[in-house]
Structure formats: structure tokens, C-alpha cells
């Protein structure tokens, strides 16, 4: 997998001068992302593409590429793949679709491709794959249009999917919440490289702390078990959204990637649970668990306090956290007295309810936060803000306190539950404050 994740020379067969075409996007993304290696566009009708010398064929390249991206109509893919294997190319990423997921002719073509690759040293991602990215080395061998909005920040999250749409959704949600990416990979039809290969590689990447995985089928249950044990030994959190476990879903999955699902889904589901992976039921929960792990690590037995402007929301958060075994200690009498001296109208036990009165006395909010943070009775403070905006005094004070404690290398962490206006995102990101929409999201975010 080395040449798939860390290539030095990349050729794009079917390269396009139009940056928004499938054959043009990876070239533009590699330039934009700061790829330091060599880029070889291959197109017999062009002399240059996007500022790079263009070559008429793979055989005309000045050096053998480590990776070849194929962006051709399906009838030309088999011959190109044969040429890559004969040249000894280390990895091939096949964007082209129309194989086992489409019809019998496509299925036979994919079978012929698998015979070409079998026994060779060439690893193949796809066909029908959107590709992969490894931001730390500027690798963006993909064509997802999401990168037109900006290159993802580097971080510790690996996103591994059999669906390009699900992978793109997760990438976008991580981007908007400033969750950095270590690796993103879409495996497509899995002619060669499958989701377990991707998982294996992610576990071995030093920068990866959290792995988000969406699967339609996970083959090789014994290998899956071994990978889960290895991930646990390296303290890497794995969160899985498994689709296709219903009869109708299994049929849809088979038509999507040409994979058989059926009973394999139930087997892998059981193994994932036994191996310590966290099963989730929605894409949002995958991002919620990533945010919690990125912001707080594995909270384990962290002591959590809730600071709310609404008693009802405080109760909902307490219900959600208690159901997942999160520790919400009752604050000491001394600390409660300190809080009531600041704000006599508050209910200070935990949850700490400052009521709607805090809107009239907003200057007390910062003092309450600092008092709780300095008490040595809590590790995580989660606030409920009805509407967090860049102009809201409560949001401003929360960000100011979090930033101050971050600079002081404090071990106190902060989170927000509530409606968060777009204008507040940058403030919360810079203050390293996690954010969630509903109280129940915290049950996922605070997994041990």
C-alpha cells in the first residue's frame, strides 16, 4: 500500500485541461494541495495540461510512475491496466465506472481486470472509486467536487468508505467543524484494495487517532477481528456505520458496488461489537464521535459538568450522559456556594442551571465558567446556548475563557450544545470548543 498512500510520481491517464472534469480535477487538487512529487498528465491530444508537460502515452513518460490514475471510458480501462502491471506500476486508482455495479458485460470486464492484477505487485483502488487523499503529503488522487471549497486541514481522522457520497458527506461535515483529516479513501467496487486493506493502513498511520468507517460489506471476518485487536492495542477508536443489513438495503448495496451482502453483514456486525468498535446509526453520529475524540481524546471516566440556561435541557443532557455511563459528579457544597455568590439565581448542583436570568446579567457567565474550571472538580464543561452567534455575549465569554485556558495548557475542555449560527463557527474552532446539536449527541461524543 506504500505506493497508494505515499507516491512520488503520479500519472493521470485521460487527463483534462478542464479543471472541473473528472480527468482534470486530480491534477488541480494535487497542485492546490502542495503535492511535492512529479505529475504526468497523459493525453495524446495535448502538449501541456494545467501547466504540466503532457505525454501521449504511459510508455512515453520520463520515469515509471508510482501511481497511475485512470479516468477513461470503461472500454479502455482493461488495456491501460495491463500496461500498468507490465510496467511494474506500484498503484492504480480507477475512477472509471460501469463494471460489476452495472451489467453482465461490466462484471466480466471487472473479472478480466482482476485476473490481470492477480499475482502482480500492483495494488488497485476501484474501479468506480472516487480515490483517496492523504493531506500530510499533499496527496489528492480524487475527483470529489468538495475540494473546490478548500483543501481539508490535517489531523487525526481517517474516513474510509465504500460509498463516495457518504465519504464526501463526512468530509464536508468534518471540514465545517474543523476536524482535521489524516486519510480519506473510497474503495468503490474493490477489485483489489478493499475496506479492510484501507483499515489496515489507517491503523498503521501514526497520525490517525480516530477511524470513521461506512461499510456495505466487510469480507474476511477473521482478518477483521485481528485488525480490531490491533487498533485497540494502539488505542485507536473505530466508529462504524454499517448499511445494507435490511433485505431491501442488501439488494441496493449489491447494485451499488456489485458486492454480496446478506448474512455477512450480521457476522461482521457481531465481530465489530466484540472488537470494541462503536456502532452508530447515522452519519451525524460518526462526526459527533469524531469531534468528541478529537477535542477530548477518550474521555474514559472524565468528570462532566453541564452549564445550562434551561433546566429542561440540563435534564435531557443528564439523561443522555447517564445512559452511556458518563460521570456527572454533584458539585461540592463549597463550589455551589461560590457559584451562588456570583449568581444567586442559579441552581448549582450539576447540571448548573443559570436560568434565563443570565441574559440580563451576562457579565456573570465568564466568572461562573472560570470558577468551575478552577475547582478541580470537573474535566469537561458542556454549555447549552440557545443560539450561539459571534455577537452573543455568552458565546463570546465562553470562547474567551476557553482560549485563556488553552494558552495556560489547562486540562479543562469545553463543548456547546444548541443552535450554532454560521458566524460562530470560526470563534468556536479557534477556541477548540466542540459543538453538537442535541443533548443525545453527547452520548455518542463521550464514548469511552
Amino acid at each position: 500500500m506504500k505506493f497508494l498512500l505515499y507516491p512520488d510520481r503520479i500519472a493521470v491517464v485521460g487527463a483534462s485541461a478542464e479543471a472541473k472534469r473528472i480527468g482534470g480535477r486530480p491534477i488541480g487538487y494535487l497542485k492546490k494541495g502542495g503535492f511535492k512529487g512529479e505529475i504526468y498528465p497523459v493525453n495524446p491530444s495535448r502538449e501541456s495540461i494545467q501547466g504540466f508537460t503532457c505525454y501521449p502515452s504511459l510508455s512515453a513518460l520520463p520515469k515509471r510512475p508510482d501511481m497511475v490514475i485512470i479516468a477513461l471510458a470503461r472500454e479502455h480501462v482493461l488495456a491501460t491496466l495491463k500496461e500498468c502491471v507490465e510496467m511494474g506500476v506500484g498503484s492504480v486508482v480507477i475512477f472509471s465506472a460501469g463494471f460489476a455495479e452495472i451489467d453482465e458485460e461490466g462484471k466480466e470486464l471487472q473479472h478480466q481486470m482482476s485476473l490481470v492484477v492477480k499475482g502482480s505487485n500492483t495494488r488497485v483502488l476501484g474501479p468506480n472509486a472516487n480515490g483517496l487523499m492523504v493531506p500530510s503529503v499533499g496527496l489528492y488522487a480524487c475527483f470529489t467536487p468538495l475540494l473546490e471549497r478548500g483543501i481539508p486541514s490535517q489531523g487525526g481522522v481517517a474516513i474510509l468508505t465504500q460509498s463516495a457520497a457518504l465519504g464526501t458527506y463526512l468530509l464536508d461535515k468534518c471540514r465545517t467543524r474543523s476536524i482535521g483529516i489524516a486519510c480519506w479513501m473510497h474503495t468503490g467496487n474493490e477489485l483489489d484494495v478493499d475496506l479492510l486493506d484501507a483499515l489496515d493502513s489507517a491503523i498503521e498511520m501514526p497520525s490517525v487517532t480516530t477511524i470513521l468507517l461506512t461499510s456495505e460489506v466487510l469480507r474476511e471476518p477473521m482478518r477483521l477481528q485481528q485488525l480490531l485487536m490491533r487498533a485497540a492495542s494502539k488505542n485507536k477508536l473505530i466508529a462504524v456505520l454499517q448499511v445494507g443489513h435490511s433485505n431491501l438495503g442488501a439488494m441496493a448495496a449489491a447494485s451499488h458496488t456489485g458486492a454480496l451482502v446478506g448474512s455477512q453483514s450480521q457476522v461482521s456486525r457481531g465481530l465489530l461489537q466484540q472488537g470494541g468498535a462503536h456502532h452508530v446509526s447515522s452519519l451525524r453520529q460518526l462526526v459527533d464521535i469524531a469531534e468528541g475524540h478529537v477535542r477530548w481524546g477518550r474521555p474514559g471516566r472524565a468528570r462532566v459538568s453541564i452549564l445550562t440556561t434551561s433546566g429542561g435541557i440540563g435534564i435531557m443532557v443528564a439523561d443522555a450522559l447517564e445512559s452511556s455511563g458518563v460521570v456527572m459528579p454533584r458539585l461540592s457544597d463549597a463550589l455551589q456556594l461560590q457559584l451562588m455568590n456570583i449568581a444567586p439565581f442559579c441552581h448549582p448542583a450539576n447540571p448548573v442551571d443559570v436560568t434565563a436570568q443570565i441574559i440580563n446579567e451576562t457579565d456573570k457567565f465568564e466568572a461562573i465558567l472560570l470558577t468551575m474550571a478552577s475547582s478541580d472538580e470537573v474535566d469537561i464543561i458542556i454549555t447549552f446556548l440557545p443560539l450561539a452567534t459571534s455577537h452573543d455575549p455568552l458565546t463570546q465569554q465562553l470562547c474567551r475563557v476557553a482560549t485563556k485556558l488553552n494558552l495556560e495548557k489547562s486540562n479543562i475542555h469545553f463543548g456547546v450544545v444548541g443552535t450554532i449560527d454560521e458566524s460562530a463557527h470560526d470563534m468556536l474552532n479557534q477556541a477548540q470548543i466542540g459543538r453538537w446539536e442535541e443533548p443525545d449527541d453527547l452520548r455518542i461524543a463521550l464514548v469511552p
Side-chain angles (χ1 to χ4, degrees), residues 192-209:
D192 174 39
V193 173
D194 63 16
L195 207 58
L196 292 187
D197 291 320
L199 177 59
D200 193 345
S201 296
I203 291 169
E204 292 305 311
M205 294 178 77
S207 59
V208 170
T209 61

Side-chain angles (χ1 to χ4, degrees), residues 51-201:
F52 297 97
T53 300
C54 190
Y55 300 89
S57 64
L58 285 172
S59 60
L61 297 180
K63 296 178 183 177
R64 181 178 64 192
D66 298 319
M67 173 187 287
V68 172
I69 297 172
I70 300 177
L72 298 169
R74 78 172 183 178
E75 58 267 26
H76 302 300
V77 173
L78 179 58
T80 306
L81 181 59
K82 282 181 180 177
E83 189 175 1
C84 290
V85 171
E86 289 167 359
M87 290 175 64
V89 172
S91 67
V92 177
V93 179
I94 305 176
F95 290 169
S96 316
F99 295 92
E101 82 283 4
I102 293 294
D103 54 25
E104 288 302 316
E105 183 182 351
K107 188 178 294 185
E108 177 57 26
L109 265 174
Q110 186 168 314
H111 175 65
Q112 293 299 319
M113 290 158 59
S114 67
L115 294 178
V116 167
V117 175
K118 189 176 181 180
S120 75
N121 292 321
T122 301
R123 300 307 308 264
V124 178
L125 185 66
N128 189 28
N130 201 305
L132 75 156
M133 58 185 78
V134 181
S136 63
V137 294
L139 176 64
Y140 298 93
C142 58
F143 62 90
T144 172
L146 184 61
L147 294 195
E148 292 176 14
R149 300 184 189 177
I151 295 297
S153 59
Q154 296 179 33
V157 174
I159 298 174
L160 314 174
T161 71
Q162 289 170 319
S163 163
L166 298 188
T168 298
Y169 176 93
L170 291 171
L171 183 65
D172 184 45
K173 293 303 179 184
C174 286
R175 181 186 62 83
T176 58
R177 289 162 77 160
S178 289
I179 299 172
I181 303 300
C183 177
W184 181 93
M185 187 182 300
H186 170 231
T187 57
N189 287 16
E190 299 189 346
L191 177 149
D192 174 39
V193 173
D194 63 16
L195 207 58
L196 292 187
D197 291 320
L199 177 59
D200 193 345
S201 296

Side-chain angles (χ1 to χ4, degrees), residues 300-305 321 325-329 350:
R301 303 302 288 173
R303 300 163 298 172
V304 178
S305 183
L321 296 187
V326 174
V327 178
M328 276 189 61
N350 193 18

